[in-house]
Amino acid sequence: AAMSSVLLLNPPGLDPRSPRLSLATLAAALRPFGADVSLVDLDLEGLLWLLRPESLQRAARAHAGQAASGATRLALLAERLGEAVPSALSVLRDASAFFDPWALSAARETVLDGLDLVSAAAPRGVRYGLEPLRYEVDGVDPTRLADLLRVSTDRAANLFADHWDERLEPLLARGFDAVGISITARFQMVPALMLARWLKRRGQFVVLGGALL
């Protein structure tokens, strides 16, 4: 019989182009002892979820409704990003196009524009990006525990909450004994604590670990 059923999660905030091996190593160490281990990379999955055409189109509508958006570069790009970003992602996945420096540079800039749009459309001031790596929320100092505790409950500052509702809710129905979250860089701290709070509200036993802790 399995010793326990464990779900291991890599939260958003890292560079999904550089997958971490820590949770895979932990899973490999647990399985010989009978543990039933599942892994989900919410960093990569969350990024791709935000960059879906429907997510970008929703963000474009929200951004257009913001009084301060005006005729900015991002506002002018917003309507076409729903089509441009999937094309850019296909370049990043194509073995030939990836090594074309012009195509790669254009695709990277388009993906970054997509993330800027999603951030700008958030109900609260959020800046999520890959170059530089960041997940910042207006008014939140990530070195202050009080700020971290407060923002962990703020769905308006959480770009990934809808993705977790869709992706994790069905998974949690399997009934895990514990859910582990690995925090390996400071950029993950805010989304990781949001994720922990999201899980705790659904009755999960959550364990935080990783190099940052």
Side-chain angles (χ1 to χ4, degrees), residues 44 71 82 108 115 190:
L44 177 58
R108 185 177 66 246
L115 294 179
V190 169

Side-chain angles (χ1 to χ4, degrees), residues 23 27 40-41 43 53 58 65 115 141 144 150 153 173-174 190-191:
L23 291 182
V40 179
D41 185 356
D43 188 29
R58 184 168 58 248
L115 294 179
D141 180 349
R144 297 186 68 245
R150 185 177 68 255
T153 67
R174 291 170 48 182
V190 169

Side-chain angles (χ1 to χ4, degrees), residues 7 176-181 196 199-200 202-208:
L7 175 62
F176 293 98
D177 297 306
V179 181
I181 301 174
L199 290 162
K200 291 291 287 182
R202 286 155 180 81
Q204 302 301 306
F205 179 74
V206 178
V207 180
L208 300 178

Side-chain angles (χ1 to χ4, degrees), residues 58-82:
R58 184 168 58 248
R61 291 192 295 270
H63 187 56
Q66 294 171 347
S69 63
T72 64
R73 174 180 175 274
L74 190 57
L76 296 173
L77 287 174
E79 287 302 321
R80 73 171 188 85
L81 285 174

Side-chain angles (χ1 to χ4, degrees), residues 168-186:
L168 295 181
E169 288 277 16
L171 192 58
L172 294 178
R174 291 170 48 182
F176 293 98
D177 297 306
V179 181
I181 301 174
S182 177
I183 310 174
T184 59
R186 62 184 177 85

Side-chain angles (χ1 to χ4, degrees), residues 146-168:
D147 283 8
L148 291 173
L149 291 174
R150 185 177 68 255
V151 77
S152 71
T153 67
D154 187 355
R155 192 176 177 103
N158 186 347
L159 297 181
F160 303 100
D162 289 341
H163 175 237
W164 299 342
D165 292 345
E166 180 182 295
R167 176 69 171 95
L168 295 181

Side-chain angles (χ1 to χ4, degrees), residues 39-51:
L39 295 96
V40 179
D41 185 356
L42 292 176
D43 188 29
L44 177 58
E45 289 190 18
L47 173 73
L48 294 177
W49 194 88
L50 291 177
L51 295 177

